[in-house]
C-alpha cells in the first residue's frame, strides 16, 4: 500500500475505533490491575486508545509519512508497521501517567497496548484489505 497522509489518518482512526475499541472491551476485565476498580481500568484503557489516536494523528502519522518519502516504494514493510508500536506505546504510557495523571501500571498497560496493537495490525493487514479491495488504489483512504 502507498498511503497518503489522509489515508493513514482514516485507517488509524477507523481501525482503532472498531477493532481497537472492541478488543479493549474484551481484554480490560482480564488485566491484572490489583485493587483498581473496573471503572478505573476501563477509563485508563479507553484513554490509552484515545491518546494513541490523537498522538498518532498529530505526531506519528505525519512523521511516518515524511520518513516514507525517502524510501524507494514510498511504503513501510509490514514489520516496520508492527514495530511502530514500540515508540508509540512508550509515548502513550508516559502521557497517560505523567501528563493525564492516570494510575497506569506497566504490566497491564503492556498487555493491553501490545495486544491491541497486534489486533489493529492484523486487521490492517488482513480483513481490511479483503473488505476494501480498492483500498490500495485509493492510497489508503477508506471513503
Amino acid at each position: 500500500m502507498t498511503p497518503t497522509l489522509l489515508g493513514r489518518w482514516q485507517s488509524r482512526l477507523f481501525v482503532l475505533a472498531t477493532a481497537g475499541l472492541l478488543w479493549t472491551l474484551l481484554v480490560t476485565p482480564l488485566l491484572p490491575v490489583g485493587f483498581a476498580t473496573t471503572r478505573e481500568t476501563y477509563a485508563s484503557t479507553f484513554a490509552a486508545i484515545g491518546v494513541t489516536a490523537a498522538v498518532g494523528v498529530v505526531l506519528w502519522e505525519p512523521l511516518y509519512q515524511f520518513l516514507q518519502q525517502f524510501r524507494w516504494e514510498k511504503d513501510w514493510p509490514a514489520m516496520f508497521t508492527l514495530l511502530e508500536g514500540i515508540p508509540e506505546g512508550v509515548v502513550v504510557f508516559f502521557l497517560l501517567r505523567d501528563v493525564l495523571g492516570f494510575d497506569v501500571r506497566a504490566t497491564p498497560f503492556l498487555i493491553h497496548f501490545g495486544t491491541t496493537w497486534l489486533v489493529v495490525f492484523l486487521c490492517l493487514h488482513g480483513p481490511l484489505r479483503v473488505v476494501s479491495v480498492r483500498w490500495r488504489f485509493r492510497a489508503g483512504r477508506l471513503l
Side-chain angles (χ1 to χ4, degrees):
M1 176 182 66
T2 54
T4 63
L5 183 58
L6 179 60
R8 292 183 67 90
W9 285 338
Q10 288 178 352
S11 298
R12 175 181 286 260
L13 294 174
F14 176 76
V15 176
L16 280 174
T18 55
L21 285 178
L22 181 61
W23 179 253
T24 297
L25 282 170
L26 296 173
V27 78
T28 298
L30 306 174
L31 294 174
V33 292
F35 295 105
T37 65
T38 303
R39 182 180 180 164
E40 293 168 339
T41 307
Y42 270 112
S44 65
T45 55
F46 283 136
I49 294 288
V51 169
T52 302
V55 173
V57 167
V58 172
L59 173 70
W60 294 116
E61 295 301 347
L63 176 64
Y64 299 148
Q65 186 70 19
F66 172 75
L67 292 174
Q68 284 177 353
Q69 300 314 305
F70 296 104
R71 292 186 47 85
W72 177 264
E73 66 278 359
K74 309 285 190 246
D75 196 7
W76 289 137
M79 184 57 73
F80 282 18
T81 304
L82 187 59
L83 293 175
E84 287 172 6
I86 296 170
E88 289 199 31
V90 170
V91 169
V92 169
F93 178 77
F94 286 113
L95 284 174
L96 284 174
R97 192 184 70 180
D98 298 336
V99 175
L100 298 177
F102 283 92
D103 182 22
V104 180
R105 300 217 164 65
T107 301
F109 177 81
L110 282 173
I111 293 169
H112 171 253
F113 190 88
T115 58
T116 304
W117 190 266
L118 186 60
V119 165
V120 165
F121 171 79
L122 292 173
C123 285
L124 280 172
H125 290 278
L128 192 58
R129 291 184 184 200
V130 171
V131 172
S132 182
V133 177
R134 300 214 179 261
W135 183 47
R136 174 172 172 61
F137 302 109
R138 290 192 309 256
R141 293 186 307 270
L142 297 173
L143 302 174

